[in-house]
Amino acid sequence: MFDAVRKKLGVLYTRFYFKHERDAITDFTRAISNARTGLLLLPDNEHDFQFARSIVPSFQRKFNGNRLTVLVPEHVKDPMRDVYLCEILRIHEDDINPFFLPKLHLRRRIQEKQYDVAVDLNIQLHLPSAFLCKESRSKVRIGITKELADTFYNFQLRTDPTGSAKKIYDHLFNCLAMF
């Protein structure tokens, strides 16, 4: 019960925090195809993570040369040993405040780099990931359509909510491959 209240307060803070930020008009085709740096936020849900992880190598090829940063939830047991030439940041439980928002040290770590594209692979709203996606201030912030998605993403992928996670990530990959 208290989690819902804390999450709602976190969302209210987020809206206040980003209230003055407006996205510039963006040519998504050019912005995505010319992107040189990327931020990939893997899902917090263990089941979804297994399917989303399969598209990480494609992002590695797109952003080769250590220009990809991958955020991985701490509780996921995948060591990510086959992911190389990119920065891997593990999000620990103590990196998140009581209102489900990333703490300042984690936000600053994301702000240190400039990202051309940020992709949040959470199917359901995961407030810390969505906040970090917006905080990246990348030209293109991609997310799957969900509640409050307009607050965080400027490019949303509409999927079948009754579809499996594998189908959702395959659809996402196919859409991004067009660029």
Side-chain angles (χ1 to χ4, degrees):
M1 176 178 156
F2 290 115
D3 284 352
V5 172
R6 289 185 306 149
K7 185 176 181 180
K8 191 169 199 140
L9 289 171
V11 168
L12 288 171
Y13 172 81
T14 300
R15 286 187 169 166
F16 177 77
Y17 182 79
F18 292 117
K19 75 178 180 180
H20 293 295
E21 290 192 23
R22 299 288 179 249
D23 290 319
I25 296 173
T26 303
D27 178 355
F28 289 113
T29 302
R30 186 171 289 130
I32 294 172
S33 60
N34 293 338
R36 297 289 170 241
T37 56
L39 174 65
L40 187 63
L41 298 116
L42 290 174
D44 188 61
N45 179 302
E46 183 100 27
H47 178 262
D48 295 346
F49 178 88
Q50 298 308 320
F51 295 111
R53 193 193 184 303
S54 66
I55 64 175
V56 172
S58 301
F59 280 94
Q60 280 182 277
R61 284 190 294 279
K62 167 74 175 152
F63 301 107
N64 64 9
N66 202 20
R67 295 185 309 229
L68 176 67
T69 301
V70 180
L71 268 69
V72 181
E74 168 197 33
H75 63 83
V76 174
K77 302 299 181 224
D78 190 333
M80 305 284 288
R81 284 192 189 108
D82 61 330
V83 177
Y84 53 91
L85 295 178
C86 65
E87 181 180 9
I88 296 176
L89 295 177
R90 293 228 176 241
I91 301 176
H92 301 278
E93 223 176 270
D94 59 342
D95 291 333
I96 308 301
N97 73 21
F99 301 104
F100 302 100
L101 297 172
K103 290 184 178 175
L104 188 59
H105 69 275
L106 182 57
R107 292 175 14 207
R108 285 198 175 134
R109 193 128 184 233
I110 295 301
Q111 292 172 346
E112 285 175 357
K113 288 188 176 181
Q114 183 172 351
Y115 301 101
D116 297 324
V117 175
V119 182
D120 181 0
L121 295 175
N122 285 284
I123 295 174
Q124 301 298 319
L125 178 68
H126 182 247
L127 193 54
S129 295
F131 189 96
L132 289 172
C133 188
K134 177 82 173 184
E135 187 75 10
S136 72
R137 299 204 171 39
S138 65
K139 295 174 196 165
V140 180
R141 295 179 315 279
I142 301 170
I144 297 168
T145 302
K146 54 190 150 231
E147 67 170 314
L148 303 170
D150 292 337
T151 305
F152 303 103
Y153 316 110
N154 59 3
F155 188 103
Q156 296 176 46
L157 179 70
R158 185 178 308 274
T159 59
D160 179 12
T162 61
S164 70
K166 181 178 179 359
K167 284 184 182 180
I168 290 171
Y169 293 120
D170 287 345
H171 181 65
L172 172 72
F173 175 74
N174 291 334
C175 287
L176 293 177
M178 293 188 299
F179 299 101

